[in-house]
């Protein structure tokens, strides 16, 4: 089974621009979560999508948004980029074993975004 | 306020040593995850725990729900275990919180 894929792997943008990152989950996984990792803040939860609906959201400004398509692929968008948005953006997919209240996540390789 | 605290932040061990990394959390959780991140960024989920103990090869993870504490043990450590180990909790309100990670270096 193919793993979680993210595109692009590296991206350089200028302040004020917007960016769209893509995540393709493992086949059969319906939940996709997005995370930001920076040296200063570590890993932080951005949002989670399940069946095209945003189920949870972390504490990030409205410039960060996402969506999920019917095939479970997900995109996240950051508008009006700031220097502080430079980070590794990771997505993870999972089966949604709600009956157990938790689920194992499989991470993609990440997209490294640099804002100049 | 950090919902998840890890210790130690950095750890250097000789090959073959027994290693313990600790994680304490302050929120109610539905699951705790131990993650491994190698240089270059890729993250691998090692364990997901909601109670008790799990073992996979030389890795053992335990959790004490009452004490809000988990430990990750590595027996017979090897240089390839060198990585950052991150504790993450899924809160009952469905938020994810992460520890700042423990950077482990195993010297041959």
């Amino acid at each position: 089974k193919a793993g979680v894929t993210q595109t692009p792997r590296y991206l350089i943008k200028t302040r004020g621009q917007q960016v769209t990152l893509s995540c393709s989950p493992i086949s059969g996984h319906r939940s996709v979560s997005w995370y930001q990792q920076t040296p200063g803040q570590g890993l932080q939860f951005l949002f989670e999508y399940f069946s095209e609906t945003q189920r949870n959201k972390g504490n990030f400004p409205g410039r960060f948004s996402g969506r999920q398509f019917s095939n479970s692929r997900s995109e996240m968008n950051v508008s009006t980029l700031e220097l502080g948005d430079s980070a590794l953006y990771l997505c993870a997919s999972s089966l949604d074993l709600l009956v157990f209240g938790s689920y194992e996540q499989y991470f993609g390789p990440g997209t490294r975004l640099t804002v100049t | 306020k950090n919902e998840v605290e890890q210790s130690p932040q950095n750890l250097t061990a000789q090959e073959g040593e027994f290693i313990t990394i600790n994680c304490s959390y302050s929120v109610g959780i539905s699951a705790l995850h131990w993650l491994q991140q190698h240089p270059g960024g890729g993250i691998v989920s090692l364990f997901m725990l909601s109670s008790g103990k799990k073992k996979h090869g030389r890795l053992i993870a335990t959790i004490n729900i009452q004490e809000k504490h988990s430990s990750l043990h590595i027996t017979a450590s090897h240089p390839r275990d060198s990585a950052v180990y991150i504790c993450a909790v899924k809160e009952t309100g469905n938020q994810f919180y992460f520890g700042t990670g423990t950077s482990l270096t195993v010297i041959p």
Side-chain angles (χ1 to χ4, degrees):
Chain A
K1 227 182 217 185
V4 178
T5 58
Q6 291 186 247
T7 57
R9 294 291 310 279
Y10 302 92
L11 202 49
I12 299 174
K13 289 285 190 179
T14 305
R15 264 182 305 177
Q17 288 186 314
Q18 75 163 21
V19 67
T20 298
L21 312 181
S22 181
C23 173
S24 293
I26 290 172
S27 177
H29 286 191
R30 296 191 299 169
S31 172
V32 174
S33 299
W34 287 91
Y35 304 93
Q36 182 198 64
Q37 187 177 37
T38 60
Q41 298 294 321
L43 269 165
Q44 293 182 281
F45 170 68
L46 278 158
F47 26 65
E48 179 196 6
Y49 286 87
F50 176 75
S51 289
E52 302 178 64
T53 301
Q54 187 180 87
R55 190 159 61 173
N56 297 303
K57 190 176 190 304
N59 189 25
F60 277 81
R63 301 185 297 108
F64 291 81
S65 63
R67 59 178 175 167
Q68 186 180 34
F69 301 96
S70 58
N71 61 358
S72 293
R73 189 177 71 85
S74 178
E75 289 181 346
M76 68 162 280
N77 184 277
V78 188
S79 62
T80 320
L81 284 165
E82 300 176 1
L83 294 178
D85 296 332
S86 295
L88 180 68
Y89 290 89
L90 293 150
C91 84
S93 76
S94 64
L95 293 170
D96 195 51
L97 302 175
L98 282 179
V99 64
F100 299 117
S102 58
Y103 43 86
E104 185 164 4
Q105 300 215 323
Y106 297 83
F107 285 82
T111 294
R112 190 164 295 279
L113 171 65
T114 302
V115 182
T116 62
Chain B
K1 161 171 110 56
N2 292 327
E3 289 80 4
V4 181
E5 300 276 1
Q6 275 185 249
S7 63
Q9 279 192 302
N10 297 285
L11 186 53
T12 300
Q14 292 288 330
E15 184 174 354
E17 284 186 9
F18 180 86
I19 289 162
T20 296
I21 300 170
N22 294 299
C23 174
S24 296
Y25 53 91
S26 59
V27 295
I29 68 168
S30 58
L32 181 143
H33 299 249
W34 281 102
L35 310 173
Q36 180 192 57
Q37 186 172 32
H38 281 283
I43 291 180
V44 173
S45 175
L46 297 174
F47 294 102
M48 181 186 65
L49 295 161
S50 54
S51 65
K53 176 180 174 177
K54 285 190 176 180
K55 184 176 190 290
H56 186 261
R58 295 178 295 105
L59 303 178
I60 303 166
T62 64
I63 188 168
N64 185 318
I65 298 293
Q66 286 72 34
E67 295 186 3
K68 295 190 173 180
H69 182 269
S70 175
S71 293
L72 176 68
H73 305 287
I74 304 176
T75 62
S77 59
H78 189 277
R80 65 174 174 265
D81 297 327
S82 298
V84 175
Y85 293 83
I86 301 168
C87 173
V89 299
K90 185 171 185 293
E91 192 213 2
T92 48
N94 283 328
Q95 289 289 314
F96 262 101
Y97 298 106
F98 295 87
T100 52
T102 295
S103 179
L104 171 65
T105 303
V106 181
I107 300 170

